[in-house]
Amino acid sequence: MAKPSARYTFSGVETLSFTSHDVSVRFSDGDSLTVDFTRGQNGLKMVHEECRDFLKWYGKRDMDELKKTFKALESIIKEEVEA
């Protein structure tokens, strides 16, 4: 049996957040939407993969933000290597 698919369009997004088990969006009117990952899915891996894909395709559009992201990742990796 085919599973249904849906696409929703919202405006006024205030925040977007990721955890290892969900993705949440808060809208300007105070409403929010949270999508939980199903059991057995590796949410953390999916978030990392999507972030890499996003940066690969869209990162060049804002080099200042891309450089900030690079510095943040560089710092995290450096701390881990030194630990």
Side-chain angles (χ1 to χ4, degrees):
M1 175 185 237
K3 293 186 179 184
S5 64
R7 180 179 178 96
Y8 301 97
T9 303
F10 299 97
S11 60
V13 174
E14 290 288 320
T15 62
L16 175 65
S17 60
F18 303 100
T19 70
S20 61
H21 59 274
D22 68 22
V23 175
S24 297
V25 180
R26 178 159 303 281
F27 303 103
S28 57
D29 65 1
D31 287 347
S32 63
L33 172 69
T34 300
V35 178
D36 293 325
F37 300 120
T38 60
R39 189 173 301 184
Q41 289 181 314
N42 188 340
L44 192 57
K45 182 180 178 184
M46 286 192 294
V47 168
H48 278 280
E49 288 172 351
E50 189 58 32
C51 287
R52 285 192 300 268
D53 285 347
F54 177 84
L55 292 172
K56 176 183 174 183
W57 294 108
Y58 303 107
K60 293 178 186 176
R61 292 184 182 179
D62 190 338
M63 287 305 290
D64 289 336
E65 288 299 319
L66 188 61
K67 289 174 185 176
K68 289 177 190 176
T69 302
F70 173 78
K71 287 180 182 180
L73 292 170
E74 185 179 41
S75 174
I76 293 166
I77 292 168
K78 189 175 186 179
E79 287 176 14
E80 187 66 24
V81 169
E82 292 174 354

